[in-house]
Amino acid sequence: EHKEIANLKKHGVDFETAALAFKDAKRKIYTDSRHTKIEERFFCIAKVKGKILTVRFTYRAGKIRINGAGFWRKGKYYYEKSD
């Protein structure tokens, strides 16, 4: 809950909105190699409410745990990039 409040203040995105990223059929998932030393972390880049949203997350006990989210320009590049 504390992380969600901090994320909302800093990036303007609550975790309920961030969770919508996982419903985008065109979403892209990347490993967060900079923060994967202790536990494996990922980025989900998806279109939410007409904008490209980047969600940082990990898996814990078989569930997705959101670490943070924001509408960052770099996410748009990766979303539109063909892999």
Side-chain angles (χ1 to χ4, degrees):
E1 187 176 300
H2 173 71
K3 276 191 176 203
E4 180 176 17
I5 293 167
N7 196 80
L8 187 56
K9 286 180 181 178
K10 187 173 183 181
H11 302 294
V13 180
D14 59 65
F15 286 0
E16 186 177 333
T17 300
L20 296 174
F22 297 95
K23 294 183 181 250
D24 178 2
K26 294 181 180 180
R27 71 188 174 274
K28 303 225 177 150
I29 306 288
Y30 297 98
T31 299
D32 180 357
S33 57
R34 292 176 60 192
H35 297 101
T36 300
K37 307 228 183 325
I38 297 169
E39 68 181 344
E40 198 168 26
R41 292 190 181 183
F42 305 91
F43 292 109
C44 175
I45 302 171
K47 190 173 276 190
V48 175
K49 299 182 179 180
K51 297 199 260 180
I52 306 303
L53 179 66
T54 301
V55 180
R56 296 180 317 275
F57 72 98
T58 191
Y59 293 103
R60 285 210 187 137
K63 294 183 180 180
I64 292 172
R65 181 176 182 274
I66 295 173
N67 300 104
F71 294 100
W72 299 304
R73 283 181 298 232
K74 199 171 190 179
K76 184 177 181 192
Y77 166 79
Y78 285 105
Y79 186 79
E80 293 174 349
K81 179 181 164 188
S82 58
D83 292 326

